[in-house]
Amino acid sequence: MFKRWLTLLSLVALTLLAACGGQTSGGDNNGGNNASTDTSPTQSFSIGTGTSTGTYFPVGVGIAKAIGEGTNYNLNAESTGGSIQNLQLLNNGELHLALSASNTAFAAYNGDEPFEQPITKIRAIAALYPEVFQFVVRKDSGIETLEDLAGKKVAMGSPGSGTERTGKLILEAHGLTYNDFKPEFISFSDAVTGMKDKTIDAAVVGAGIPTAALVDASASMDIKLLPLNSEKFEAFVESDPYFITVTIPAGTYEGIDEDIVSGASPALLIVSEDMDEEIVYEMTKALFENLDKVKEAHAVANNISLESAVEGVSIPFHPGAAKYFKEQNMEVPTQ
């Protein structure tokens, strides 16, 4: 009988020890390197990015690590279709944070195509880097201008991506609609595979440069980038205030030996207006105090800086982010 009671007491003691151990914070994920010594349960948040061969995903992973470094929050970078899907998932409460091109966020906020209703709950944390639109073809394709894409099979990006939406608008500005060529809605990596196999004639890639998919493409075949028609594009920019003319420098990809005129919109880090002001403040502060973690994730993050964090933002700032920027003596635009 005594042995039976001793065994029972031992089991109770083990159970109590396990329960005490369960009070510590949770384990790591993409952003789980926490500097905080707080032993309260770690809060977890999801951040919508893009496809794995674009720039949103590695940048999102870097942002998760940067915020995790300076807070007690775990962020998980989720691969998605891109800007449009991210904004819809954020609006539905399926994501906590998201990446989106500024011009696409502007369309969502105002209920412009393809958004059926305005998404007015989205708020900006910061502008990150220019998201450049690149129109790529094989060098031996015989295609020299965007107008030459008439009748061709063109990869427009993943369904639900800002690449597809903005690429379509740019081509329309050059006189091409989906009736004039054959659009394919596939990822950047699938587009590159199709170009290698010659089942795809051209691809639209909207991402920070250099883009992994095009680095791969230029290493395995001769490619060229199509310039935009300056006159036609200037008219388009006038109708889209969060889109600018940029230059893709020579040497960005193997075999690209001259500067290429193109367009870009800032990539934004976005959050729902429902998120607590103090949480967003802490996230914003941690991001800019640990930018090295983002820069380790992708070279495009070298373009992210505190100085440019409030430039080209098309939607209202979240009060938590605005609080941090004002502490840095920065003027925060009001929309």
Side-chain angles (χ1 to χ4, degrees), residues 15-168:
T15 302
L16 288 172
L17 284 171
C20 291
Q23 298 301 311
T24 57
S25 60
D28 285 349
N29 54 22
N30 284 333
N33 185 11
N34 294 321
S36 173
T37 57
D38 187 359
T39 57
S40 61
T42 300
Q43 289 182 267
S44 295
F45 300 93
S46 56
I47 174 171
T49 61
T51 61
S52 59
T53 52
T55 49
Y56 275 6
F57 183 74
V59 168
V61 170
I63 289 172
K65 289 181 179 178
I67 293 175
E69 184 80 8
T71 68
N72 196 41
Y73 307 135
N74 275 341
L75 267 69
N76 182 53
E78 297 186 8
S79 179
T80 68
S83 294
I84 294 174
Q85 186 180 23
N86 285 345
L87 295 168
Q88 291 168 335
L89 292 173
L90 189 68
N91 188 51
N92 295 338
E94 297 177 58
L95 290 173
H96 300 101
L97 302 95
L99 295 174
S100 170
S102 188
N103 67 319
T104 304
F106 182 76
Y109 191 79
N110 290 280
D112 295 336
E113 188 181 357
F115 300 95
E116 297 179 358
Q117 298 290 333
I119 302 178
T120 57
K121 67 188 296 183
I122 53 177
R123 296 290 182 269
I125 290 182
L128 301 175
Y129 59 85
E131 186 174 346
V132 182
F133 279 76
Q134 304 156 88
F135 295 81
V136 59
V137 297
R138 293 178 65 102
K139 188 167 283 188
D140 60 6
S141 65
I143 300 171
E144 301 294 334
T145 67
L146 291 187
E147 290 84 353
D148 291 341
L149 295 177
K152 305 298 184 181
K153 188 174 288 188
V154 182
M156 296 297 296
S158 300
S161 67
T163 293
E164 189 272 327
R165 174 187 175 272
T166 303
K168 177 174 178 283

Side-chain angles (χ1 to χ4, degrees), residues 4 32 94 101 122 206 230 241 249 261 293 315:
R4 186 177 300 173
E94 297 177 58
I122 53 177
S230 297
V261 176
K293 298 299 178 184
I315 59 175

Side-chain angles (χ1 to χ4, degrees), residues 241-310:
Y242 297 100
F243 213 81
I244 59 173
T245 301
V246 298
T247 298
I248 302 173
T252 298
Y253 303 107
E254 187 175 341
I256 304 300
D257 301 323
E258 59 183 5
D259 293 347
I260 302 294
V261 176
S262 191
S265 183
L268 305 183
L269 179 59
I270 293 174
V271 68
S272 170
E273 67 174 349
D274 299 331
M275 190 175 287
D276 180 78
E277 180 176 336
E278 189 61 23
I279 290 177
V280 176
Y281 168 80
E282 291 175 358
M283 286 184 174
T284 308
K285 184 174 187 289
L287 171 62
F288 286 99
E289 290 183 352
N290 296 285
L291 269 181
D292 58 312
K293 298 299 178 184
V294 194
K295 293 176 181 179
E296 289 170 3
H298 197 284
V300 73
N302 290 316
N303 295 303
I304 303 175
S305 69
L306 180 62
E307 292 71 24
S308 62
V310 298

